[in-house]
Amino acid sequence: MIQRRPDWLAGYGLLSPAIIIMAVMMVTPLLAMVALSFWTQQGFELDRSFTLANYFALVEPSSEPTYWMGIPFPLTYPVPAILLIKSLAMSLAITLAVIALAYPMAYFLAFHVRGQKALWLVLLTIPFWTSYLLRVFAWKIMLGFNGAINSGLKSLGILTEPLSFLLYNPLAVMITLIHAWVAFAVLPIFVSLDKIDRSYLEAATDLGDSRLRRFLQVTLPLSAPGTIGAALLVFIPTVGDYVTPTLVGGPSGTMIGNLIQELFLKQNNAPLGAAVSITMMVTIAAIVTLFLWLIGFRRLRSRAR
Amino acid sequence: MAEHTDAVIEIRDVSKLFGPVAAVDGVSFGIIRGEFFSLLGPSGCGKTTLLRMLAGFEQPSRGEILIDSQPMAGVPANKRPTNMVFQSYAIFPHLNVEENVGYGLRNRKLGKDETRSRVVAALDLVKLSGYGKRGAHQLSGGQRQRVALARALVCRPKVLLLDEPLGALDKKLREEMQLELRQLQRNVGITFVFVTHDQEEALTLSDRIAVMSSGKVLQIARSDDLYENPNCREVAEFIGNMNLFEGKVAAVAQGNVTIATAAGTFTVPHVAPIGAGNAVHLAIRPEKLALSADKPAPGLNAVKGRVIAQTYLGDRRQFLTQIDGMAKPLAISRQISGAESPISTDSDVWVTWPPQLGRLLTS
Amino acid sequence: MRSSSRPFYIYAVLFMLFLYGPILLAPLFSVNDSIFATFPLKGFTLRHYAEMANNTGLLKALRNSLIVASASSIIATAVSVPAAIALTRYKLRGSGLIMTAMSAPLVVPSIIFGVALLIIILRFLDLELTLWTIGASHVFISIPFAMTVLMSRLEGFDKSLEEASRDLGEGAWMTFLRVTLPLAMSGIVSSLLLCFVTSFDEFVLAFFLSGTETTLPVYLFGQLRFPNKLPGMLALGTTILMFSTLIVILAEILRRRGVQSNSPGEV
């Protein structure tokens, strides 16, 4: 649009307000958090001498291991490690369930809906935009001791005593998070399925593939980038979620996010909280990178173009 | 090169680099005021880039462009005395026909009545009177093209730039619009610079044509001249069909050259000095070749071959004749008048032509 | 419908039931004449809605939410329009990296940004937590949404339209006003609406960055501890739900209309 000055100058000029906001709101706070994680909290005072004590506290060995799910954690302060492993495991299970539920829906939208694609897509998007807090709270009403399921079954005469195992456990957290993310995951999968040139599928059938074989040989590999993208979009944020475990998790359903919140707002140990946050982020980043490297994501993506 | 006194555009040694790639590579020529000038070449030859440099959307990496003797370096598109008809027409979808056509008049300090009458006149010119209130999306392809023309012409540019404006139309409409475009250009007397990859279109419309390839201008000539006297193999093969004999200069005498090819020895007119032994091509159009079963008269170039295929094309018949020693068969085009004797496929024939119809290509 | 579609269709309907069923419990119990969210339903009442009008705490939080959401959606869209133009109209070095960085708020758990912002505001800058801090964080998380909507709108129309305007004598600024802005308008409005909803419904950052003044979701969260406030909160939740849905549908309609009028230039 602008010709007089070099193009790139005008381009960066137009970008600069957004870049400045991103830098101020994202980069500086993250740097501050890194800095804080190398300091220590002494009562109400902050000791600003550099130390690795916060990180050391997370891995300090102990001769008496703490057991969680039969796994020994030989650490003096095992809570962060246990919660991190637990959160990762729960997120993994959530992600797999979300993909398993979302894929057929995306497939239906891409291949079986003709006229009203837009309507289905809007219906899928609406819950994503509406209050996350309310969606979580709905499950508390649903699963509670006096909740919709228990009172409903009781009033139908199926139950005499309410089921107490519905709420306040990891499963309740997982169901709630699956519900919160499943519609969101449909969209990237749908996009990658919708992009597939229908003549590839016709060619596969023409060359003698059965429907199942065609799906495994053509459709699934070509939709892999969208599916993997969806999986990451679910996995990464759910590891750090804390609203859901707070509302429906109970003591057994806590996740790493709860610990971070507690260290900051209740235990007044922000430096340790910062160290836990950074450890969580680095762990997630490492897992995602390793995963993408293992499956050769670049190759997959370039193939689907 | 046209160092004409009345050049409206002068292009002096202009190059445009995109990274290491030269889209336009050291081009120099002039465009004469009032002519219909075409830039012809295959896609990617640099013709659109050259046009966009004239419009001011790209800056030359080297060289300079003068319009009306004014250097255009640093002059942005909105300050140039040129207007453009875009390949996609770029009709503003949020404006109606009238608003589209009047778009460029807004900042010209014209009175309301003046603006109105110019818009009406422009719509009249492109035969769209009464369409002023139509929305952009209510127009057919041909109408969109007319709006784009009116919108550019209403600004009274010194040069109108047209980027493959007929490419999106179907064949019949395209032929109609070609005729109209040519008449329009004569009526308004504005210089048109027309980009196309369609050689037939260029030959039909243009006063002069520049043939481009790989960023360079190969030849600039009038339509008939370009067809009859191509200056190199690439132009010869790009414009129409051409048969080529590869050979060496055997003898030079009295404005004629004798060349030795794998298919025989032929004579071809040539005046410029050339030495014996030079590698050259003899070029001859299919319609200039004659076929006969009998041995030809002396004085004609003649070569013996076998008809391997023939195609009926309505007004003419095309024969492919295999010649010993040549990789590609010769194409011969013969008008169908009803009087000629039939030639069957697989028969042995003589292909002949008068020496003065052949052309010698040195590059 | 082909016969092979039937199982998929049934699945899709079940999927939608799973998606909407729990969410629709809130509206259901909000009009139930009982302080417990239990079956069987006791009777229809709008009492809980009427009571909201007298709840000063709620009204204050609502006012705060409206202020924060309006301000942050306008700012986020205002900075995203030039950024989206830059990324769609210029070939810029590092634009891929910039886009990745801008989409970080979509992926990174918001608790990370919540605590990081809390650290810099309290420990480094020594500032108070106010509606400003919430609003600033909402601008930041809204930018990726604004960018997505605006970039797809700007990519949707023929770039030669802007060149045509330049060619017809308009400068950069007038071209923006006369061509780019009108054509991108549906995208801009849609971006404003989506950023508004993003902020209006946002909880985690608002929770961490609230001082004495809070937004509606944080207020709601605080009230959830009191069982006797449940029906009122369900009524409030339902209102938020309906309001957000309305805005999202409006934004979608605008966006799609924009996409349709995209390229009438194709013949």
Side-chain angles (χ1 to χ4, degrees):
Chain A
M1 273 168 66
I2 294 165
Q3 301 282 327
R4 293 179 300 278
R5 272 174 281 284
D7 254 15
W8 57 268
L9 202 65
Y12 288 119
L14 292 170
L15 264 175
S16 56
I19 290 181
I20 289 168
I21 289 183
M22 297 314 277
V24 170
M25 300 298 295
M26 183 162 75
V27 182
T28 6
L30 289 179
L31 291 177
M33 184 158 82
V34 172
L36 187 74
S37 74
F38 294 118
W39 298 340
T40 41
Q41 189 79 33
Q42 306 289 344
F44 287 104
E45 291 300 309
L46 198 58
D47 181 355
R48 301 196 177 203
S49 47
F50 178 87
T51 169
L52 287 172
N54 293 314
Y55 291 100
F56 182 67
L58 300 179
V59 292
E60 189 183 348
S62 145
S63 48
E64 286 180 35
T66 312
Y67 287 87
W68 176 75
M69 303 282 284
I71 309 162
F73 285 83
L75 303 169
T76 18
Y77 180 43
V79 178
I82 291 174
L83 284 181
L84 184 58
I85 301 278
K86 183 177 162 192
S87 301
L88 291 170
M90 282 168 72
S91 287
L92 184 64
I94 290 162
T95 306
L96 293 176
V98 162
I99 296 301
L101 289 171
Y103 198 98
M105 186 67 200
Y107 190 91
F108 165 74
L109 275 180
F111 294 112
H112 293 280
V113 176
R114 288 283 147 80
Q116 315 123 328
K117 258 185 200 163
L119 179 69
W120 281 97
L121 285 172
V122 173
L123 278 175
L124 281 168
T125 351
I126 287 171
F128 173 73
W129 290 104
T130 55
S131 174
Y132 178 54
L133 186 64
L134 282 169
R135 279 180 287 154
V136 178
F137 188 64
W139 281 96
K140 191 168 171 165
I141 303 174
M142 187 94 164
L143 301 174
F145 190 73
N146 285 314
I149 290 181
N150 275 330
S151 63
L153 292 178
K154 239 164 68 180
S155 67
L156 291 172
I158 297 169
L159 286 179
T160 47
E161 282 303 303
L163 305 167
S164 59
F165 59 82
L166 291 177
L167 196 60
Y168 299 131
N169 58 45
L171 191 65
V173 175
M174 280 157 61
I175 290 173
T176 307
L177 281 172
I178 289 166
H179 176 254
W181 288 97
V182 71
F184 187 58
V186 172
L187 301 178
I189 304 176
F190 163 74
V191 170
S192 68
L193 282 171
D194 206 42
K195 247 187 358 200
I196 297 177
D197 190 333
R198 297 302 188 266
S199 58
Y200 293 161
L201 303 179
E202 283 162 9
T205 308
D206 185 60
L207 294 169
D209 273 2
S210 67
R211 291 172 67 92
L212 179 68
R213 213 180 127 74
R214 183 181 83 179
F215 175 75
L216 294 176
Q217 296 273 329
V218 182
T219 315
L220 197 59
L222 287 177
S223 65
T227 311
I228 289 162
L232 296 179
L233 279 178
V234 175
F235 178 77
I236 302 171
T238 49
V239 176
D241 191 276
Y242 88 98
V243 179
T244 308
T246 306
L247 284 173
V248 302
S252 70
T254 49
M255 290 172 75
I256 187 92
N258 298 84
L259 176 70
I260 294 172
Q261 186 225 346
E262 203 155 281
L263 286 170
F264 272 94
L265 300 183
K266 293 198 181 125
Q267 296 184 16
N268 191 28
N269 195 346
L272 184 60
V276 173
S277 305
I278 288 163
T279 309
M280 176 182 96
M281 278 207 319
V282 171
T283 313
I284 295 174
I287 290 174
V288 169
T289 314
L290 186 70
F291 170 71
L292 292 181
W293 178 72
L294 277 177
I295 60 166
F297 189 60
R298 272 171 191 283
R299 191 171 45 86
L300 273 178
R301 206 170 49 176
S302 63
R303 205 168 54 181
R305 283 233 174 89
Chain B
M1 200 175 300
E3 277 304 328
H4 202 279
T5 43
D6 200 19
V8 65
I9 291 180
E10 285 168 71
I11 297 165
R12 293 181 182 162
D13 194 26
V14 163
S15 296
K16 176 69 186 178
L17 305 172
F18 290 114
V21 185
V24 173
D25 193 359
V27 167
S28 300
F29 62 89
I31 295 172
I32 302 162
R33 194 178 306 278
E35 77 173 329
F36 197 124
F37 190 91
S38 288
L39 293 168
L40 173 66
S43 64
C45 72
K47 57 191 191 301
T48 296
T49 308
L50 188 55
L51 193 78
R52 288 172 62 81
M53 285 195 279
L54 296 179
F57 295 126
E58 308 283 355
Q59 300 298 320
S61 310
R62 259 205 318 276
E64 66 171 344
I65 292 170
L66 284 80
I67 300 180
D68 239 7
S69 309
Q70 298 296 311
M72 284 293 122
V75 179
N78 51 326
K79 305 275 189 228
R80 293 195 181 196
T82 57
N83 284 112
M84 186 147 163
V85 174
F86 290 81
Q87 188 168 16
S88 63
Y89 307 145
I91 305 298
F92 301 120
H94 58 302
L95 304 178
N96 66 22
V97 169
E98 225 167 66
E99 291 164 334
N100 260 289
V101 174
Y103 189 96
L105 296 177
R106 223 189 66 142
N107 52 2
R108 290 191 186 216
K109 315 232 166 8
L110 298 174
K112 225 179 179 172
D113 294 339
E114 166 79 1
T115 305
R116 231 197 110 58
S117 68
R118 272 172 78 166
V119 168
V120 168
L123 284 175
D124 217 30
L125 192 66
V126 297
K127 300 176 185 164
L128 277 183
S129 310
Y131 282 81
K133 300 294 179 202
R134 288 273 179 104
H137 51 275
Q138 291 170 294
L139 301 173
S140 71
Q143 290 168 338
R144 304 175 73 78
Q145 208 242 5
R146 288 160 199 261
V147 174
L149 267 169
R151 186 176 70 180
L153 287 171
V154 83
C155 302
R156 299 182 183 164
K158 294 205 168 109
V159 180
L160 185 73
L161 308 170
L162 302 103
D163 186 7
E164 306 223 12
L166 306 177
L169 306 178
D170 61 49
K171 191 165 180 288
K172 196 153 183 318
L173 190 56
R174 189 148 87 203
E175 281 165 5
E176 264 173 56
M177 285 307 296
Q178 281 177 6
L179 207 67
E180 251 180 67
L181 207 56
R182 184 71 237 217
Q183 278 170 351
L184 185 70
Q185 194 265 338
R186 289 220 175 94
N187 290 342
V188 296
I190 291 174
T191 314
F192 277 30
V193 181
F194 185 91
V195 158
T196 181
H197 65 269
D198 183 337
Q199 40 121 350
E200 226 171 287
E201 193 167 282
L203 291 176
T204 315
L205 286 170
S206 320
D207 293 316
R208 290 195 305 149
I209 299 171
V211 182
M212 290 187 71
S213 172
S214 313
K216 290 192 194 306
V217 171
L218 300 174
Q219 186 173 9
I220 299 178
R222 291 158 43 93
S223 302
D224 47 0
D225 213 18
L226 203 60
Y227 189 79
E228 295 296 338
N229 300 307
N231 68 353
C232 63
R233 258 182 80 186
E234 231 181 315
V235 172
E237 289 187 298
F238 188 67
I239 311 280
N241 290 325
M242 188 66 100
N243 294 303
L244 291 170
F245 294 89
E246 195 179 348
K248 283 198 165 72
V249 175
V252 184
Q254 300 156 5
N256 277 323
V257 171
T258 309
I259 72 166
T261 75
T265 305
F266 308 114
T267 312
V268 57
H270 190 72
V271 284
I274 189 164
N278 274 340
V280 291
H281 283 87
L282 192 165
I284 180 87
R285 298 277 179 200
E287 70 273 16
K288 310 228 154 125
L289 294 174
L291 280 178
S292 69
D294 314 318
K295 184 147 175 62
L300 293 175
N301 284 322
V303 59
K304 208 169 174 193
R306 174 186 286 266
V307 175
I308 54 169
Q310 51 181 305
T311 320
Y312 173 69
L313 295 167
D315 55 341
R316 64 208 151 83
R317 190 178 283 277
Q318 172 128 326
F319 296 89
L320 287 181
T321 307
Q322 185 66 56
I323 310 290
D324 279 346
M326 281 178 73
K328 266 178 80 178
L330 283 184
I332 298 116
S333 175
R334 185 155 82 164
Q335 288 293 323
I336 296 177
S337 61
E340 67 276 333
S341 50
I343 292 171
S344 56
T345 307
D346 283 339
S347 58
D348 288 332
V349 289
W350 285 93
V351 181
T352 61
W353 71 96
Q356 68 273 18
L357 296 184
R359 292 290 175 268
L360 186 78
L361 303 175
T362 51
S363 60
Chain C
M1 188 175 300
R2 285 170 294 156
S3 61
S4 64
S5 286
R6 188 166 299 263
F8 278 107
Y9 197 79
I10 294 168
Y11 178 82
V13 170
L14 290 175
F15 187 97
M16 287 298 173
L17 276 179
F18 171 64
L19 199 59
Y20 280 90
I23 302 173
L24 294 177
L25 281 180
L28 180 69
F29 287 123
S30 73
V31 293
N32 186 26
D33 195 1
S34 159
I35 65 159
F36 302 111
T38 54
F39 289 112
L41 299 173
K42 293 282 193 286
F44 180 81
T45 178
L46 290 174
R47 179 162 50 91
H48 309 309
Y49 287 89
E51 279 165 5
M52 283 198 299
N54 303 322
N55 186 336
T56 48
L58 185 153
L59 292 177
K60 205 167 165 211
L62 172 67
R63 196 201 56 157
N64 291 344
S65 269
L66 291 175
I67 293 170
V68 169
S70 309
S72 67
S73 59
I74 290 169
I75 297 171
T77 303
V79 301
S80 295
V81 170
I85 288 175
L87 289 178
T88 50
R89 295 292 184 269
Y90 296 86
K91 278 188 198 130
L92 295 177
R93 227 172 244 272
S95 60
L97 184 74
I98 291 166
M99 268 155 70
T100 311
M102 279 189 180
S103 52
L106 285 177
V107 183
V108 177
S110 32
I111 191 171
I112 295 287
F113 291 121
V115 296
L117 284 164
L118 192 67
I119 289 168
I120 197 155
I121 290 165
L122 294 183
R123 306 281 174 135
F124 284 77
L125 302 174
D126 211 17
L127 295 173
E128 295 267 313
L129 291 174
T130 62
L131 290 182
W132 286 102
T133 52
I134 302 175
S137 75
H138 284 180
V139 168
F140 155 69
I141 57 158
S142 298
I143 285 177
F145 295 114
M147 289 298 288
T148 311
V149 174
L150 291 169
M151 280 179 70
S152 75
R153 182 71 198 108
L154 287 172
E155 268 161 7
F157 64 80
D158 188 357
K159 282 163 194 68
S160 54
L161 290 172
E162 283 160 346
E163 284 181 350
S165 169
R166 304 276 296 173
D167 185 67
L168 294 166
E170 292 292 18
W173 177 240
M174 283 308 285
T175 293
F176 173 75
L177 287 185
R178 292 186 72 190
V179 177
T180 317
L181 197 62
L183 288 176
M185 197 41 92
S186 65
I188 291 172
V189 175
S190 161
S191 158
L192 281 171
L193 292 173
L194 292 180
C195 292
F196 186 92
V197 175
T198 303
S199 164
F200 196 76
D201 283 341
E202 204 284 330
F203 170 69
V204 178
L205 290 168
F207 178 71
F208 275 94
L209 302 175
S210 286
T212 47
E213 300 279 317
T214 61
T215 61
L216 212 49
V218 179
Y219 171 81
L220 181 69
F221 183 76
Q223 301 292 304
L224 290 179
R225 275 175 297 162
F226 311 112
N228 60 333
K229 299 250 173 92
L230 184 63
M233 290 308 110
L234 288 176
L236 173 60
T238 306
T239 315
I240 297 177
L241 210 66
M242 293 197 304
F243 180 63
S244 310
T245 306
L246 213 65
I247 292 184
V248 172
I249 290 173
L250 199 63
E252 274 302 306
I253 290 172
L254 275 172
R255 206 169 60 80
R256 286 184 193 277
R257 186 179 298 162
V259 173
Q260 273 165 11
S261 69
N262 256 346
S263 41
E266 312 302 316
V267 184

